[in-house]
Amino acid sequence: MTTASGRPLTPRRSPEPTTWSAAEPAARSSPEPALSVRQVLALERVLAGEPEVVAGAGQLDRLVRWVHVAEAADVGVMLNGGEMVLTTGVLLAGDEEKQAEYIRSLHRAEAAAVVLGLGRAFPRPPDVMRRAAERCGLPLVVLHRPFPFTELTEEVQSRLVRRKFASVSLSESVRTALTALITAGAPLQALLDEIAQHSACPVVVTNLAHRVLATAGERSAVDDVLRDWERIARQAGGSEGDGWIRAELGGRGERWGRIVLCGYRGDAATGRLLADRAAEALVLHRMLGGNAGCSWEEQSAQGLLTDLLSGVVPARQLLPRARAAGLPVNRRTFVPLVVQGGEPAGLDRLLRLLGLRGLVAEIGGQPDGGTAVLLSLARDQDADALTEHFAARLRTESHRARTVVAAADARTVWDDVPAGLREARHVADAVADSAPALDLPAVVRLKDVHLRGLIRLLRDDPHVQSFAERELNGLLCRTDRELLAVLRTYLATGRNKSRTAQLHHVSRPALYRRLEAIQGRLGVDLDDFEQAASVHIALLAHDAQQQ
């Protein structure tokens, strides 16, 4: 865009007349129910009339709701707002007061812009109208070449109608796609991915405290949004002009979250439509109990902890997600735990009761896969003491003998958290099956699992598998589960016959008979330390392979 003399011009800041060129941004490709003045002036048919913005260049993003051709001096009383008025000014020529009042009346009627065709009435842009338009902030455009107004009205009206229908079509398309996903029992993430595909921008779901529950969109763009989420979320809360479009989530008079389109590049009305359709679908999904009753908070923690455990995504790239999910990460000590025999909801309540900050989620894809707990403690807190206290309270309140709290050493660097979670899971898996028989501390660590930990690491080795099958063949071939269970307890208790009989609720003579049967089938003497150790290692390897 340049001035009439050819000098470069920034139209939003300068009151100088400007000549429109095809280099200006054209209409966006997304369907919109309205066009801006800027977009109308960029149309090919309009460019043929050599349009020049002589006033109100800073208001070219006003939306044009309709185009109206009018020569009457009092046309303002017939407008509803948002119209682009086309005129030759034939009834205004020679009367400067009428010219100024004409502009003022259009301003009062909230017209989008006025387009004046130069000709016999006005061979050049009238100064009175230009000054009045500049004072009112009303875009005044003159056409230097003769131009049939009917062509402009036909072009703009047809585009507005098409965009209106496109908007309705988009609404129905989004609703249909999301409804189909809900009907098919799709998880929350599938719905958000569909919304992100339509909006072409990051999508974030939060609770009322701005804690991020789920995201969708291009990963790098989402990470950019989450990097300083709390600050930008609160700052962007009141304005949709920057492409931040929010819709509230709730029902029955209660709000419980919101969905945010972050940096939506299309028209605000279209973004609002997308956000509203998305909100409707998410509320319905939650009401129908999507994801088997797992809350969105639990899903958020589960996704983050699963990604940390897998190691597929570098820990540093997950840091924005952790921070946005409400986990304190700056100058903190992290304690990775895996709990066997504890429910996520109960563990989360216990953390809140003890005043501890952390994330809780099931891992392994199965209820018995264990529950990961990532504690975030202040640097001056005693990590070991707090972990011991947490484990003791858990055992007291759960009343479950099989509850195991496996812990890795505390980490002070976020990048070390994934290795810590894997270590905690390894410890929990190593003692899971034998927890009742073992005299375990309140918090089990790597140093407590001894041989079990090594066998867990070697369980997939073919030589170890062959050894286990060979040593236990006399029991495995008959699938005698009762004798195998007795052998497991007997060896886990250090060959303590009294303890084994007590745990299996049998008398000592009955236990002796079973031990004799085991030795006969395996061809070993369990009183011999080396033979008992060989059978014990084989049994540990067999159990590890079954998990």
Side-chain angles (χ1 to χ4, degrees):
M1 188 185 299
T2 62
T3 63
S5 62
R7 296 191 306 273
L9 179 71
T10 304
R12 291 180 180 272
R13 296 181 180 178
S14 172
E16 295 291 326
T18 61
T19 301
W20 196 261
S21 72
E24 287 300 314
R28 298 182 179 95
S29 59
S30 61
E32 303 169 3
L35 290 167
S36 68
V37 175
R38 188 185 304 275
Q39 291 169 332
V40 171
L41 298 181
L43 297 177
E44 185 175 354
R45 288 192 181 185
V46 180
L47 290 173
E50 296 183 6
E52 179 186 4
V53 180
V54 297
Q59 302 294 323
L60 297 182
D61 289 325
R62 286 184 173 185
L63 296 182
V64 177
R65 186 183 58 81
W66 206 243
V67 177
H68 191 64
V69 180
E71 297 292 353
D74 59 348
V75 65
V77 299
M78 296 179 281
L79 304 180
N80 292 321
E83 295 89 352
M84 174 178 277
V85 178
L86 311 181
T87 183
T88 62
V90 65
L91 299 181
L92 303 175
D95 191 332
E96 293 186 350
E97 180 55 34
K98 277 188 177 181
Q99 294 170 23
E101 178 56 29
Y102 181 80
I103 295 297
R104 290 193 292 266
S105 67
L106 294 180
H107 171 65
R108 290 193 296 269
E110 298 182 350
V114 57
V115 178
L116 175 65
L118 299 182
R120 287 178 297 177
F122 292 101
R124 63 183 60 83
D127 288 338
V128 173
M129 294 180 69
R130 184 182 65 78
R131 288 195 298 269
E134 197 63 63
R135 285 194 297 269
C136 294
L138 176 68
L140 173 60
V141 183
V142 298
L143 300 176
H144 286 279
R145 293 178 60 87
F147 182 81
F149 285 167
T150 54
E151 291 187 11
L152 192 154
T153 57
E154 180 184 38
E155 176 77 8
V156 175
Q157 316 297 44
S158 63
R159 284 176 178 263
L160 290 175
V161 171
R162 286 199 303 269
R163 286 164 181 262
K164 185 64 176 178
F165 279 109
S167 179
V168 174
S169 176
L170 173 65
S171 173
E172 290 306 310
S173 174
V174 173
R175 178 185 281 119
T176 300
L178 296 178
T179 301
L181 289 172
I182 294 173
T183 303
L188 170 66
Q189 190 60 51
L191 272 69
L192 295 181
D193 289 341
E194 184 72 21
I195 296 165
Q197 183 177 353
H198 283 284
S199 63
C201 70
V203 176
V204 176
V205 174
T206 76
N207 61 16
L208 297 181
H210 299 283
R211 176 179 173 182
V212 174
L213 306 180
T215 63
E218 184 181 351
R219 191 71 262 163
S220 60
V222 172
D223 288 344
D224 286 342
V225 169
L226 296 185
R227 193 157 285 115
D228 196 11
W229 169 255
E230 185 170 354
R231 180 184 62 81
I232 60 179
R234 294 181 186 278
Q235 286 184 351
S239 172
E240 295 188 352
D242 295 330
W244 286 69
I245 302 176
R246 307 188 310 168
E248 301 297 326
L249 304 175
R252 300 175 181 175
E254 180 182 2
R255 293 188 301 117
W256 36 262
R258 57 179 59 90
I259 181 170
V260 188
L261 306 186
C262 307
Y264 179 71
R265 295 179 178 275
D267 177 71
T270 305
R272 166 53 49 198
L273 179 149
L274 284 171
D276 289 344
R277 292 294 171 269
E280 292 171 3
L282 297 187
V283 170
L284 180 60
H285 182 268
R286 179 162 170 142
M287 289 176 60
L288 294 179
N291 297 291
C294 182
S295 73
W296 289 358
E297 288 81 0
E298 292 170 355
Q299 293 176 56
S300 174
Q302 187 175 52
L304 177 58
L305 291 176
T306 299
D307 286 345
L308 281 169
L309 266 167
S310 69
V312 175
V313 182
R316 187 154 300 278
Q317 293 185 20
L318 298 173
L319 190 58
R321 285 174 58 187
R323 184 183 291 110
L327 184 72
V329 295
N330 295 330
R331 297 186 59 79
R332 305 288 288 189
T333 296
F334 304 100
V335 182
L337 307 174
V338 171
V339 179
Q340 296 279 6
E343 298 297 327
L347 295 174
D348 196 49
R349 284 194 297 270
L350 181 57
L351 288 183
R352 291 197 298 270
L353 180 64
L354 298 177
L356 299 176
R357 302 291 297 276
L359 295 177
V360 179
E362 284 185 353
I363 56 176
Q366 299 178 356
D368 58 354
T371 302
V373 179
L374 179 59
L375 298 179
S376 175
L377 308 175
R379 290 284 176 88
D380 59 354
Q381 291 181 293
D382 188 331
D384 289 344
L386 287 174
T387 304
E388 295 281 346
H389 182 53
F390 169 78
R393 286 292 298 270
L394 177 61
R395 284 193 172 183
T396 300
E397 297 188 7
S398 64
H399 304 293
R400 296 176 64 173
R402 292 183 60 85
T403 299
V404 175
V405 178
D409 291 336
R411 265 65 175 173
T412 58
V413 178
W414 174 258
D415 288 347
D416 295 338
V417 168
L421 284 169
R422 288 190 288 270
E423 178 183 317
R425 183 170 64 173
H426 167 67
V427 172
D429 290 346
V431 300
D433 286 340
S434 303
L438 298 175
D439 186 17
L440 296 174
V443 178
V444 187
R445 301 184 184 275
L446 190 60
K447 62 182 179 62
D448 301 315
V449 298
H450 305 294
L451 181 61
R452 294 174 180 276
L454 176 62
I455 295 299
R456 287 288 302 180
L457 295 176
L458 299 176
R459 64 179 177 176
D460 294 327
D461 188 296
H463 296 89
V464 174
Q465 295 171 357
S466 176
F467 169 77
E469 290 291 323
R470 184 171 61 252
E471 289 289 304
L472 300 175
N473 183 60
L475 289 179
L476 297 179
C477 66
R478 304 189 184 188
T479 62
D480 197 327
R481 294 177 180 270
E482 182 181 358
L483 290 182
L484 201 62
V486 170
L487 176 62
R488 182 180 293 110
T489 304
Y490 180 62
L491 295 174
T493 57
R495 295 181 293 174
N496 186 320
K497 295 183 175 64
S498 298
R499 178 64 174 157
T500 302
Q502 180 183 13
L503 290 173
H504 284 272
H505 307 289
V506 297
S507 65
R508 290 283 294 270
L511 176 65
Y512 295 156
R513 289 193 295 271
R514 294 179 187 182
L515 291 176
E516 289 175 0
I518 292 171
Q519 293 181 102
R521 294 185 183 181
L522 296 181
V524 298
D525 179 5
L526 294 179
D527 290 329
D528 181 87
F529 176 79
E530 183 174 341
Q531 294 183 51
S534 181
V535 173
H536 192 191
I537 292 172
L539 185 57
L540 291 176
H542 169 74
D543 290 344
Q545 292 159 18
Q546 305 306 308
Q547 296 176 4

